[in-house]
Amino acid sequence: MNCGAARHCRIKSRSMQLGRIQIFPIKALDGFAVESARFTAGGILENDRVFAIYDTDGKVINGKRTPRVHDLSSQFDPQIREVRLWQKNESPAQFPLDDLPPLGKWLSDFFGLAVAVRHETVKGFPDDREAFGPTVLSLASLQAVQGWFPGLPIESARRRFRANLELTGGEAFCEDRLFGSAGELKPFQIGSVKFFGHNPCQRCVVPTRDPDSGQGIANFQKNFMEQRKNSLPEWANAQRFNHFYRFAINTSVPPTEAGKELRIGDTVTGV
């Protein structure tokens, strides 16, 4: 990258702000937006993916494993003390989150196999134990993806990719500035919180499906990869893309950031 391009990157990064924070208390189920969120000593957003559903073999139940999760809707109280669950055309059931066996029994009936709900408040249940921090993408990138699939609502795109932090103020795929070369942990900051950018996130089958119906878009992955490759910014590190079904950035947060808070409107710096 030449010096002019580097200056361009820095100028662009100063305009990037945190536009949305989303947490998912029960891994694989619905999330919701919050105005602010603190970090735990384990480097996760408080209450994000701190519950997970496991079968008796110790394997997690999620959208990668079964599209049945799309038949299940969830809603949490503001303190994340209770959850309401329901299927289409059925009345919701409500469960306290400090007494998990009844919730596990209901979910066992729903999935048709024995499951239990586990709880871990500090480290949560991230997919990646190295890049365990919030996933980051931008609204401009979501809007670009929305344009690749005519008729795709922005909220559907948002729910398909399930990112924690959504940036505003940058161009499409501006989040690709937040990772470096292979083996490099690229430092950046949002507000007062320090992050390390790891890599562009490899996606699974979940984004191909409608979040409510579970119905897939034909050739979604193939079309996404073609468009992603053709839309890769000239300044992006193409070597980090062994394939182009990658979207959003995996991060980690050092222990020094425990207790710090992210807020809507925080500025992205350090890139």
Side-chain angles (χ1 to χ4, degrees), residues 57-78:
D57 293 324
K59 297 180 180 179
V60 70
I61 304 294
N62 57 23
K64 299 176 189 177
R65 180 170 173 181
T66 172
R68 182 80 167 122
V69 297
H70 298 293
D71 296 326
L72 184 59
S73 297
S74 57
Q75 186 177 61
F76 301 87
D77 71 298

Side-chain angles (χ1 to χ4, degrees), residues 19-24 30-34 137 139 142-143 145-147 149 151-163 166 206-207 209-212:
R20 184 181 178 92
I21 304 170
Q22 188 160 253
I23 62 172
F24 302 84
D30 295 327
F32 62 94
V34 295
L137 52 66
L139 175 59
L142 282 172
Q143 291 170 332
V145 171
Q146 182 186 19
F149 300 96
L152 180 69
I154 190 67
E155 188 58 28
S156 179
R158 185 176 278 136
R159 292 177 63 199
R160 287 168 187 263
F161 292 101
R162 300 172 62 83
E166 187 177 301
V206 171
R209 304 190 195 119
D210 182 277
D212 293 313

Side-chain angles (χ1 to χ4, degrees), residues 180-243:
S181 302
E184 175 188 0
L185 298 182
K186 185 169 183 177
F188 66 95
Q189 194 161 316
I190 303 179
S192 65
V193 181
K194 297 176 182 177
F195 290 78
F196 291 116
H198 285 242
N199 54 270
C201 181
Q202 178 171 287
R203 309 312 309 203
C204 65
V205 67
V206 171
T208 71
R209 304 190 195 119
D210 182 277
D212 293 313
S213 69
Q215 183 176 356
I217 293 178
N219 299 315
F220 180 95
Q221 183 173 337
K222 178 182 177 182
N223 292 340
F224 184 99
M225 292 174 69
E226 291 176 353
Q227 295 283 0
R228 183 76 161 107
K229 180 179 180 179
N230 294 336
S231 302
L232 197 70
E234 61 180 12
W235 45 259
N237 187 346
Q239 294 181 345
R240 299 306 309 277
F241 292 83
N242 60 330
H243 60 75

Side-chain angles (χ1 to χ4, degrees), residues 67-141:
R68 182 80 167 122
V69 297
H70 298 293
D71 296 326
L72 184 59
S73 297
S74 57
Q75 186 177 61
F76 301 87
D77 71 298
Q79 290 74 40
I80 323 296
R81 293 175 182 170
E82 294 182 332
V83 61
R84 298 170 71 232
L85 300 173
W86 66 95
Q87 302 181 63
K88 294 180 180 68
N89 304 318
E90 293 194 10
S91 299
Q94 187 163 315
F95 301 94
L97 289 171
D98 60 358
D99 182 21
L100 296 177
L103 174 58
K105 184 179 184 306
W106 191 93
L107 288 168
S108 295
D109 293 339
F110 174 80
F111 286 110
L113 74 162
V115 304
V117 181
R118 300 182 186 177
H119 188 201
E120 165 53 55
T121 60
V122 177
K123 294 183 178 181
F125 298 95
D127 287 337
D128 190 327
R129 288 293 177 178
E130 293 185 5
F132 48 78
T135 49
V136 183
L137 52 66
S138 68
L139 175 59
S141 299

